[in-house]
Amino acid sequence: MNNNTTDLEKKLQALLLAEQDNFLQGKVADYIPALANVKPELMGISVATIDGQFFGAGDYQHPFSIQSISKVFGLVMAMNRIGDSIWQRVRMEPSGQPFNSIVQLEWEKGIPRNPVINAGALLVSDVLTSHFSASKLAFLTFVRKLANNEKIHIDNQVYLSELKHGNLNAALAYLMKSFGNIEAEIPDVLSHYFTQCSISMSCQQLATSLLFLANKGVDPRTQKSICTIRDAHKVNAILSTSGMYDQSGEFAFSVGLPAKSGVGGGIIAIVPGYGVICAWSPPLNSYGNSVVGMNLMAAITEELGLSIYH
Ligand code: GLU
């Protein structure tokens, strides 16, 4: 691993340069119309290390819609709140289905395959809605603390757009409720879920806020425990098998790190014992993963030899 600042920053810049036209191969998500209001050519990457270094290139300080990356924060909060009992309501297996698929949920009696597909994240949102008096505020506060930035906010335009076009997520939630696996009222669960998905953060903020997952649950900057070592292990395990939608196997082949992507075009990857990488470029491939983000992740992990499978 090369921790020399200028060297690594130069490498990141070179990787972005090599990718500068490849955003044209993807398509910005528009099933949530407000997400389409982004410049497709923006791209950034950052690397934060547990020993306190930070490297960034391109638009790494530009906030974007974190979307499904919020599922990582939500899961940690829910595990902190109700412990292992959550695993009776959601499983830890890859789904082999698109992230918003409903078919499996009926066969499997309202128990989502994992917490990072939409059904699972709605289940987690139910836990948060039911166990916090003001779950949206608690979520935002948690993220702001981790990122050490009070300015992180919810993009209200994205929130309203998700609410308006969220029928499939509503269907998932109602189906789970019909099986008795959702406690709170569905509109409250949806409102929480869409709120957390609508948070805007930059590559820099995401990489630094997730450092605890690369450091056995302890925030290396403050030495505070954010979750137990066992829970950090579980989150990383789930991200390894299911974090990249139905392309998680291919991501394990080409990158080899626990990771989570979102339809806003962000991807975070955890490198246990080293740090966190975040890449962002809005246009997506057919699985919902950022085209350029995937390429950047493969290139940087290869360059630095970071795969956990080596
Ligand atoms: N809010 C999005 C949805 O529920 C999140 C999807 C994603 O980023 O995977 O469809």
Side-chain angles (χ1 to χ4, degrees), residues 12 44-48 54-57 60 64 66 69 201-208 210 260 265-270 275-281 293 296-297 300:
L12 296 178
I45 183 165
S46 61
V47 177
F54 178 82
F55 313 90
Y60 70 96
F64 60 90
I66 67 170
I69 299 173
M201 290 172 79
S202 65
C203 288
Q204 178 166 19
Q205 290 163 347
L206 277 169
T208 51
L210 289 166
K260 184 74 205 86
I267 304 177
I268 57 94
I270 312 294
V276 180
I277 307 168
C278 181
W280 172 58
S281 158
L296 289 172
M297 283 295 178
I300 188 73

Side-chain angles (χ1 to χ4, degrees), residues 93-165:
E93 302 298 342
S95 71
Q97 304 286 326
F99 66 92
N100 51 6
S101 168
I102 197 165
V103 285
Q104 203 167 41
L105 197 59
E106 186 182 8
W107 300 331
E108 300 186 352
K109 303 196 181 337
I111 309 283
R113 271 290 170 108
N114 66 65
V116 292
I117 52 173
N118 280 15
L122 286 160
L123 185 287
V124 168
S125 297
D126 177 52
V127 170
L128 300 180
T129 308
S130 310
H131 287 83
F132 286 88
S133 54
S135 66
K136 298 181 214 174
L137 183 63
F139 194 100
L140 192 59
T141 306
F142 183 59
V143 171
R144 281 177 170 167
K145 261 209 186 104
L146 287 173
N148 193 22
N149 190 323
E150 289 298 314
K151 291 196 183 127
I152 289 172
H153 66 280
I154 292 148
D155 182 331
N156 203 41
Q157 221 193 331
V158 172
Y159 170 78
L160 292 174
S161 193
E162 294 220 42
L163 202 58
K164 192 164 171 201
H165 299 271

Side-chain angles (χ1 to χ4, degrees), residues 1-3 8 47-51 55 214 271-276 304 306:
M1 284 176 207
N2 189 336
N3 280 345
L8 184 47
V47 177
T49 67
I50 59 174
D51 63 6
F55 313 90
V271 193
Y274 173 73
V276 180
L304 301 180
L306 296 177

Side-chain angles (χ1 to χ4, degrees), residues 168-248:
L168 186 48
N169 284 316
L172 291 166
Y174 278 110
L175 186 58
M176 286 190 284
K177 183 118 180 146
S178 78
F179 283 105
N181 201 19
I182 292 280
E183 289 170 11
E185 294 305 321
I186 300 296
D188 297 337
V189 174
L190 292 173
S191 178
H192 174 95
Y193 173 67
F194 294 142
T195 299
Q196 68 170 56
C197 287
S198 303
I199 292 176
S200 290
M201 290 172 79
S202 65
C203 288
Q204 178 166 19
Q205 290 163 347
L206 277 169
T208 51
S209 64
L210 289 166
L211 278 170
F212 69 96
L213 287 177
N215 195 41
K216 302 183 162 113
V218 176
D219 186 331
R221 297 158 301 175
T222 59
Q223 292 306 317
K224 275 199 186 128
S225 170
I226 308 300
C227 68
T228 64
I229 183 170
R230 283 179 64 240
D231 283 348
H233 169 109
K234 286 176 186 160
V235 174
N236 286 334
I238 284 169
L239 297 188
S240 297
T241 54
S242 309
M244 297 298 292
Y245 306 125
D246 210 12
Q247 208 178 11
S248 298

